[in-house]
Structure formats: C-alpha cells, structure tokens
Amino acid sequence: MQRRQSSESLKKPLQVHHKNQTDLSAWRKGRRTDPEKSLQSRQSPNDKKNVSEQDSLEEALSYFEQVQERVSLKKNSVLQKHLTTVESIALQRGLPPEGFDVLLKVALSGKLADTVNTRLLKSLVPASVIPETSVVSAVSWLCVSKCSGSIQLLFLRWLITMFDFVNHKEELHALYGFFFSFLQDEKMCPYICHLLYLLTRKESVKPFRIRRLLDLQVKMGLQSHLQALLSLYKLFCPELVTITLPGKMKTYFKNSEGPWKAAINTVRQRNQASSPVFQTLLLGTAQPQSRKRKWNTQLIIPANSRNRNNLEEDREKNRVNFYSRDESFPVEQLQTFSQLLQNIHRLEFPSQMGSVLTNPLLLHYMNCIKDESVYLRLYYWMGQTLQEECTWCVADSSQYEEEFKHFLETVHKTECFLQEGFSSCEEFLYKSLPLWDGVCCRSQVLRLVSWIPLSSFSEMKSHLCDPLVQLFFTSSLYFKCSVIESLKELLQNWLNWHVIHLDSESDSQVHSSNTTFSGLVNMVAELIHYVGWISTVALRLENNHTFLLYFILDFYETVCDIYLRYNLPLLILPPPGIFYPALLSMDSVNLNQLCYIMYRYRTNLVAAKENELSKKQILQFKFSSQTYQEYNQYIIAMVGCLWTSNAFQKDTHPQGLRMDDELLKKTAVKEFKTSFNIVCHPAMMGYAVLFLQQAWPDDTTFNFSLIKGKRWNWYLEYLYSQGLKGLKVFIESSINRVSQASHSKAEN
C-alpha cells in the first residue's frame, strides 16, 4: 500500500465511485484534488472537519491493513485510537465501500482479540453499498477457523442485516452449497437458515438438501428456521417436499439487526439528505428516495446486478438476449407493461421484497401468476417489518410515527391493488391491537382492518373484535364512526371476494381461511350481528347522534342487498336499537336512508319468495318465517309513522312504539291519532313549513291540516323534488294507494 506523498494538501469528502473499487490505494489516488478546490475547502469549517475525519479514517484503515500479529487492546494506545476513529465515523457517516475489505479481513482473521473484532463488526455500517467481493473474501475466512464461534455468529448476523446493501449477489449465490454445509452447527443453524432463505432460488432446491433438512428436523425437533426453509423449498418444488408443514405464517427468524439498526438510521438521515450518492443506485430518477429507515429504502428496486454505466452498455450490447427464454429477466430492467407480458415467466424478484409494494408492474405479475413463493417472501418480510417498526409496540420508536404511517399507507394501497388482504397484516393487527391506544396511526390501522382475510370469526373476535370494542365504547364519536366505516369496507371486501371466487376452482389458493360456502355465510352473518350490537350500544352512549346514525345506516345499505347483489343467501335486518332511532330521527337524511334500506329489503325478500315458490331457490336456501315477520313489523311501524298516523296504536314489535291511549292523552297533543305522519314527523316538518310558505305565502299560521287531499299529493311531489328518493321508492312500494297510482301512471 502506498502512502500519500503530500499530507498537507486537503482532500474531498469520502466519495463512492461508480466503479467497483475495493483497493485502498486506488481509493486514495481517486481523492486527489486541485489547489483551487483545496483553497475553497479551507473556507468552510465543515469541510475542514470532514477532511480531518477522512485523514483519521485513512490512517486507521492503513493501520488495520498492516496488522500482522495479535495485538492487545489494553496495552496499545494506537489500536485504541484507530478503533475509536472507525467506530465514531462509521456510526455517524457510514463507511465507504473501500473500507469493508480491510475491516472484514482483520475482524475474521483472528489477529485481534474478540473484544476488538466485535467492536469492528458492529461498526461495519455502509454509507452506500457493500462490495460483494469484500463479503466473499470475508466468507473465505470461515474455512480456516481463525476466529471464534461468537465472531462467526456475529458476522452472519451482520451479513443478514446488510444483505440488501450488498451491490451484487451472483457470487454469493454461488456459495449457496458452502453456507448449506454449516447447518450441522446447532448455534449457527438459525442464522444459516435465514441467510439461505434470502439466497434461495428454484435451482437451489435439490433432493439431497431436502433430505438433510428433514434429518435435521428429526434431530432438532420442529424448529421455526428449518420450517421456513422447507416451506420455501416446497413452494419451489412441491413434488420434492411431501411432508405437511404449518400453513399459517409466523415469525420464522429472530431479529438479527439489533447492533446495527440505530446506526443505519443515523447514517441514512445524515448522508441521504445532503448527498446525491444514493440516487445513482436507484432504478430511474423520476422519484426521489423517501425517508431513511431500512424498510423504506427497500421500497425502491436497486440495480443489484451491476452499476448503471455497465447496465446501459449491456442493454445496447445484449438487447436481443433480454428476451431469451434461457435466462431470467432482471427486474430492474422491467420498465414497460409490454416487457412484463413478454418476460412474465422469466422474472426474478429482487432481494428487497419491499420494492414490490411500489411497483405496479410487479403487482400485476403477482395478480397474474399467483407465485406462492413470492407471497411467502413478501409475507415474511412484511411481518418482520411491521413487528419491528410498530411505533406503539417498540420502545423509543415514537419519533418515527410519520414514517410508519407512510409504510402502512403503502401496504394498504397494495392490498387495494391486489384486492386481497395480507395474512401478515392480520397477524400484526392481532398482536398489536391489545396495545394500541386508538390514536397513533388511527386511519391507517383501520384501513388494514378492512382488508383482514376470511378466517374463523371466533379467532377474529378474540384477537381483534374484543380489543377493538374496548376502544370503541370509550373513544370519541369520530372514532366510533371510523370503526363502523372500516367494518363496512371489511364486509364489502368479503362479499366481493365471494363474487369473484364464486365459480372459481381455487378459492383457497392464497387465503388460509375457511372459504367454504357455509363458512362464508356464517362469517358474514356473525360480522353483521357484531356490528349491530356495537352500533346499538354506541347510539345509546352518543344519544342517537345523527352523524353516527348515518354511518350505521350506510353499513346496512350494504347488508340489505346481499341476497341479490352478492348472490349470498343471507338477509339480516337491523336490530330495534338501530331501526327505531332512525325512524324517529330528526334528520331527514337518515329517515330517507332508512326508507331506501327498507325498500331494498323488500326487493330482496320478494325475490327470495318468488324463487322459493318457483323452486329456483339460490343454493337451495330459504329465509325463515321469523325474518318475514320481523320485516312486516318494521313496515307497519314505518307506515304508521309516515302515512296512517297510527304507529302508537298498531306497532306490534316487542320493542316498538305502541302506547296506551291513556298515556297518549297525557301528552296533551290534540288529535294524537291523526297528527303523526309524513307532515308532522320531526324530520319532515321543515319541508312541510316550506311547502306551506310556497303554496299559501300570505298564511302565517302554518296550518298543517291544509295538507290533505290533492294537496297531499302535491306535497309528496314536492318532497320527491327535494331529493328524497329513498322516501319515494319506499312509499311507492309499500303504500297500496300510491303504488297503484304510480303503476297506472307508468302504464299511461
């Protein structure tokens, strides 16, 4: 290694060159500057500080490169100085690519004490990328057993954590068999399985490796890391792995990034905001990379097979080979939909599965191909990320709430694109909701709730509904409305899933839930009953608030049409605790909405009755007589309130409006038997006043008794003109006189 001849000349800040430069002397030569730039750098204190740090780092790297024999840390102040320099610079700014070869070599060669080697490995935080050649060289030191077992384990943890920062992967893939041979070491086995999980391709799956994993499982028992690798093997080659593996996703591997996580965040926050270095590593330049946390950096597809200059040359040189059937198509070269169609069976997904979430072309691929290995890798990555980044489950993470919100929004958009929920999100909600305060990331969490896949409702009730209902009853009106809206969207997503898969032979292709028809009917029914219960209680708590009632009725707009619109033999009426507050609401919007809902219930019931009588029942299903009886009781109450003014006398529902005449006389309302109708209803009285003002502008007495006979019909037309379409269809379908008149008018 050559030393610089002039130590007085100032140097530029550490740079990442586009060439794969790992030689320390070449790096030094590349940092020469002209006097004019050196003069300018003297003007800035920050530049002086950077130059001083660079000199110190260069000196430290040269020292570690020249270490030839074991050195004691306690008796060597020079070693202490250089070790501190590497630690401080690495944890604040990150190390340049050229430093990894030197530090990995000295840490794994056994020339220094384990205490020093541990500190060096914990300081290996990249400023940008890690050269693959440095990693391969470091792996070779595992063969000579120079370092202790604890250092080997720490190196594996470091490699797993930094896997996405390694600029190439081809030579690492070539070492697959070498890594596989370390599975026999029980201490290293979990980390080797994790590394193999990241490296595995279809061609990596061999019968002898499957047999080896099965033997290890017999020896060690049902270990999650072995099951993870076997699950991935089975997805690639199901004919080779014949054993039954747990179908439900769980956390397969322990978190390996503990010693480096905080440093990675710090380095990215410092470097990425002020340097364009990272932009050269991204696919395209249209969108800047978002914030710096590790999961967020994975949302961009890196050019992981070569640098951009060589990539452009290869595009021109090997353009014809891109469409060869014998080679995989690099995903970083996927730019257009036509390329996706031509190479859809040759795509190789990136190591950073998070990049799939923001790439519409890859999401189209997932929709078309249904490659379960892709889903498994995505579920694993997403489950790990959600668990580690959850701001209310992880200590000292509240400062990252905005970034976690952005991540949850990205996941939700992906679910909307794919039109299905992720099981990893379901598990995250089940684990985290008992600890949730209902405030942090509220809208994002409730959006995830709306995409929970179909599963056993008893499991969903204990893990999600019970924790959610505790927050629901004790939170604000707005939170209650948000929960009802989320559960409505959940119901719609389940129903849409049923419609899409109604005639499909692969209903349970992705979902691990109970997707039989009876299971679906029971799940939907239990969800509707659950929403009906919490809605009834919420209305009592909020004094029948109009805003809350609107969201509840919006939910039942979906429920009332399940039979006809979603081809599901289910019809559940709202409980009395919802129906009667809506019927007596002082807001015309809610009353109009209730009228439309009851009209759609009638339409569905009539269709079901006709199918029953004509022996063309949908799926041989009949509604019970109790359903018809309850509907008729509700209709009698509505007609009594809106038309005949006898709801207090003829309402037959056990929780209805029926009152004795003696009690009604005590109200001191004159002509109480004829005074409660569509004119005097609290929600309609405002319309009646406006109608009287327009019909009799000179009359200031507001005599509602004038609205009768022909004027009653005029009043109805006036109400219809005000946009009360729900009221219109209800009256025309449920009132005989109006129904006959409307039919006659239609015929004429």
Side-chain angles (χ1 to χ4, degrees):
M1 243 351 124
Q2 295 179 349
R3 294 288 298 167
R4 289 274 306 274
Q5 298 298 324
S6 174
S7 61
E8 296 179 356
S9 62
L10 296 174
K11 309 154 187 95
K12 295 180 184 177
L14 293 176
Q15 298 181 9
V16 180
H17 301 292
H18 294 300
K19 297 180 180 179
N20 292 331
Q21 189 174 304
T22 57
D23 184 77
L24 188 57
S25 62
W27 168 56
R28 292 172 184 154
K29 293 177 182 179
R31 290 172 53 233
R32 291 186 180 275
T33 62
D34 56 60
E36 182 179 354
K37 292 183 179 179
S38 297
L39 181 61
Q40 293 175 356
S41 67
R42 290 193 182 98
Q43 307 303 318
S44 172
N46 290 333
D47 288 346
K48 289 184 178 181
K49 180 181 179 182
N50 290 339
V51 168
S52 177
E53 289 181 351
Q54 293 165 65
D55 284 335
S56 300
L57 179 60
E58 181 181 342
E59 186 178 350
L61 293 177
S62 297
Y63 171 82
F64 285 116
E65 187 179 29
Q66 296 170 5
V67 171
Q68 297 297 331
E69 57 186 17
R70 194 173 185 86
V71 181
S72 173
L73 179 62
K74 295 182 179 179
K75 300 179 181 180
N76 194 319
S77 59
V78 178
L79 175 57
Q80 293 178 0
K81 171 189 172 183
H82 293 316
L83 182 58
T84 303
T85 297
V86 171
E87 287 179 323
S88 62
I89 294 177
L91 299 181
Q92 292 178 13
R93 297 170 48 194
L95 297 174
E98 297 78 7
F100 285 91
D101 192 57
V102 174
L103 297 178
L104 282 171
K105 179 180 178 181
V106 71
L108 298 175
S109 63
K111 296 178 181 179
L112 301 175
D114 278 1
T115 304
V116 180
N117 295 332
T118 299
R119 291 174 62 180
L120 283 176
L121 286 175
K122 290 183 178 181
S123 301
L124 294 181
V125 179
S128 57
V129 296
I130 301 173
E132 183 186 30
T133 54
S134 300
V135 177
V136 173
S137 176
V139 171
S140 66
W141 283 99
L142 300 180
C143 304
V144 296
S145 301
K146 292 286 187 179
C147 57
S148 64
S150 60
I151 296 300
Q152 291 180 359
L153 290 178
L154 187 61
F155 169 72
L156 289 175
R157 291 178 61 191
W158 174 84
L159 182 55
I160 292 168
T161 302
M162 302 300 173
F163 186 82
D164 294 329
F165 294 96
V166 180
N167 57 354
H168 310 319
K169 304 291 193 306
E170 291 305 318
E171 293 184 15
L172 281 177
H173 282 292
L175 294 174
Y176 191 93
F178 172 77
F179 290 121
F180 195 89
S181 65
F182 282 91
L183 285 175
Q184 59 188 355
D185 190 311
E186 291 190 11
K187 292 183 178 180
M188 297 178 69
C189 186
Y191 302 106
I192 291 294
C193 284
H194 195 166
L195 183 59
L196 292 175
Y197 190 95
L198 297 174
L199 288 171
T200 297
R201 297 172 175 172
K202 187 172 184 178
E203 57 268 23
S204 306
V205 182
K206 305 293 182 183
F208 74 90
R209 288 174 179 157
I210 296 174
R211 288 195 297 270
R212 180 59 179 159
L213 288 175
L214 294 177
D215 291 342
L216 288 173
Q217 186 168 255
V218 172
K219 178 182 177 182
M220 300 180 181
L222 295 176
Q223 301 295 326
S224 59
H225 49 272
L226 293 174
Q227 292 180 11
L229 203 52
L230 282 170
S231 298
L232 191 57
Y233 280 11
K234 187 168 186 176
L235 286 175
F236 281 126
C237 299
E239 71 281 1
L240 297 179
V241 184
T242 57
I243 65 170
T244 301
L245 295 170
K248 193 170 181 61
M249 180 64 182
K250 62 179 181 178
T251 303
Y252 287 134
F253 307 111
K254 295 180 180 179
N255 182 15
S256 297
E257 63 180 16
W260 302 278
K261 181 176 180 179
I264 291 173
N265 295 333
T266 301
V267 170
R268 289 192 175 278
Q269 290 174 357
R270 177 185 177 89
N271 290 355
Q272 189 176 354
S274 59
S275 173
V277 166
F278 289 87
Q279 300 303 324
T280 64
L281 302 175
L282 305 182
L283 173 63
T285 57
Q287 294 181 349
Q289 189 172 359
S290 57
R291 309 247 342 242
K292 300 90 189 169
R293 310 211 62 187
K294 187 181 178 188
W295 61 261
N296 223 341
T297 63
Q298 292 180 336
L299 300 183
I300 307 294
I301 302 176
N304 60 355
S305 59
R306 53 183 62 83
N307 61 46
R308 290 185 61 85
N309 293 336
N310 291 339
L311 182 59
E312 294 298 330
E313 294 174 4
D314 289 348
R315 284 179 178 173
E316 297 299 326
K317 183 178 178 180
N318 301 322
R319 187 178 299 275
V320 178
N321 292 334
F322 282 173
Y323 301 97
S324 171
R325 292 179 178 270
D326 299 330
E327 298 179 2
S328 61
F329 187 83
V331 74
E332 65 267 15
Q333 297 170 5
L334 185 63
Q335 300 287 346
T336 64
F337 193 75
S338 60
Q339 281 183 323
L340 173 66
L341 296 178
Q342 292 170 342
N343 300 278
I344 195 166
H345 296 294
R346 302 193 295 111
L347 281 181
E348 179 183 343
F349 266 59
S351 300
Q352 298 90 330
M353 287 305 295
S355 60
V356 176
L357 301 183
T358 54
N359 191 310
L361 294 177
L362 296 184
L363 293 178
H364 277 301
Y365 171 87
M366 292 181 65
N367 253 340
C368 296
I369 299 300
K370 298 297 183 184
D371 186 346
E372 293 196 16
S373 65
V374 173
Y375 278 93
L376 183 64
R377 289 176 60 197
L378 183 61
Y379 289 168
Y380 162 69
W381 172 84
M382 190 178 296
Q384 290 285 102
T385 305
L386 288 169
Q387 178 181 345
E388 295 166 8
E389 303 294 338
C390 179
T391 53
W392 61 88
C393 294
V394 180
D396 300 327
S397 61
S398 58
Q399 57 183 323
Y400 302 114
E401 180 177 343
E402 288 301 319
E403 296 183 21
F404 190 56
K405 281 183 181 179
H406 176 70
F407 177 61
L408 295 181
E409 288 173 355
T410 302
V411 173
H412 174 255
K413 290 177 182 177
T414 305
E415 291 181 323
C416 292
F417 187 98
L418 298 175
Q419 286 296 292
E420 61 180 274
F422 296 136
S423 61
S424 51
C425 292
E426 178 186 13
E427 292 180 11
F428 162 71
L429 291 171
Y430 288 174
K431 292 178 181 178
S432 63
L433 277 183
L435 305 174
W436 186 43
D437 60 2
V439 177
C440 180
C441 307
R442 174 190 295 174
S443 60
Q444 291 78 19
V445 171
L446 292 180
R447 287 172 190 163
L448 293 185
V449 169
S450 67
W451 280 105
I452 291 178
L454 280 165
S455 59
S456 169
F457 190 83
S458 59
E459 180 181 6
M460 178 179 167
K461 183 178 184 300
S462 60
H463 290 94
L464 184 135
C465 295
D466 290 347
L468 192 61
V469 80
Q470 295 178 20
L471 291 171
F472 182 83
F473 290 148
T474 57
S475 296
S476 65
L477 171 68
Y478 176 77
F479 182 84
K480 292 182 176 69
C481 295
S482 300
V483 171
I484 298 295
E485 176 71 12
S486 177
L487 294 176
K488 183 202 78 170
E489 293 176 358
L490 175 63
L491 175 62
Q492 288 178 331
N493 290 331
W494 285 0
L495 295 173
N496 289 334
W497 182 91
H498 164 66
V499 171
I500 293 172
H501 295 82
L502 187 61
D503 299 320
S504 173
E505 297 179 357
S506 57
D507 287 1
S508 58
Q509 187 174 17
V510 177
H511 300 277
S512 59
S513 57
N514 180 12
T515 55
T516 63
F517 184 77
S518 60
L520 174 65
V521 171
N522 292 334
M523 279 285 292
V524 171
E526 289 185 83
L527 176 62
I528 294 172
H529 287 306
Y530 171 77
V531 175
W533 169 64
I534 65 173
S535 299
T536 301
V537 177
L539 285 173
R540 294 175 183 172
L541 293 174
E542 300 293 341
N543 296 320
N544 298 328
H545 199 285
T546 299
F547 191 59
L548 176 61
L549 188 57
Y550 170 82
F551 281 89
I552 295 172
L553 293 177
D554 193 42
F555 174 83
Y556 278 95
E557 270 198 44
T558 301
V559 175
C560 68
D561 250 345
I562 287 179
Y563 181 76
L564 289 178
R565 182 172 296 177
Y566 298 100
N567 202 20
L568 198 68
L570 192 64
L571 198 147
I572 300 176
L573 291 162
I578 295 174
F579 173 79
Y580 284 102
L583 177 60
L584 300 177
S585 172
M586 300 185 68
D587 185 84
S588 60
V589 174
N590 288 337
L591 180 62
N592 181 68
Q593 199 173 8
L594 177 66
C595 290
Y596 176 78
I597 290 171
M598 297 309 294
Y599 162 73
R600 291 307 304 170
Y601 272 121
R602 181 185 187 279
T603 304
N604 281 256
L605 283 170
V606 169
K609 196 68 175 179
E610 290 176 351
N611 287 332
E612 180 181 336
L613 294 176
S614 62
K615 297 182 180 180
K616 294 180 181 179
Q617 308 97 312
I618 297 178
L619 300 172
Q620 307 298 318
F621 186 90
K622 295 181 181 180
F623 292 119
S624 66
S625 58
Q626 183 179 356
T627 302
Y628 291 99
Q629 180 182 358
E630 187 176 13
Y631 170 79
N632 289 333
Q633 289 175 334
Y634 282 169
I635 288 299
I636 291 173
M638 289 188 69
V639 172
C641 281
L642 299 177
W643 197 263
T644 60
S645 301
N646 59 10
F648 300 113
Q649 292 83 23
K650 295 189 176 181
D651 188 355
T652 59
H653 195 282
Q655 299 177 354
L657 303 175
R658 185 180 181 86
M659 299 182 190
D660 294 333
D661 288 350
E662 295 181 359
L663 180 61
L664 289 172
K665 290 178 181 178
K666 293 180 180 180
T667 63
V669 176
K670 296 181 179 180
E671 299 179 359
F672 60 85
K673 292 185 178 181
T674 59
S675 62
F676 194 73
N677 51 36
I678 199 173
V679 176
C680 300
H681 191 287
M684 309 305 296
M685 193 172 294
Y687 290 104
V689 170
L690 293 175
F691 176 75
L692 290 174
Q693 287 179 340
Q694 295 181 23
W696 296 276
D698 298 331
D699 188 355
T700 58
T701 60
F702 297 115
N703 186 3
F704 293 138
S705 62
L706 295 175
I707 305 177
K708 58 184 178 181
K710 290 184 178 181
R711 298 187 182 96
W712 182 278
N713 295 333
W714 295 347
Y715 177 61
L716 287 180
E717 294 297 331
Y718 172 76
L719 293 177
Y720 301 160
S721 68
Q722 300 302 306
L724 300 177
K725 303 301 181 183
L727 180 68
K728 180 177 186 294
V729 294
F730 172 77
I731 290 178
E732 291 181 349
S733 63
S734 301
I735 308 299
N736 287 333
R737 180 174 69 84
V738 179
S739 177
Q740 294 173 1
S742 62
H743 284 304
S744 176
K745 183 177 180 181
E747 292 175 358
N748 293 333

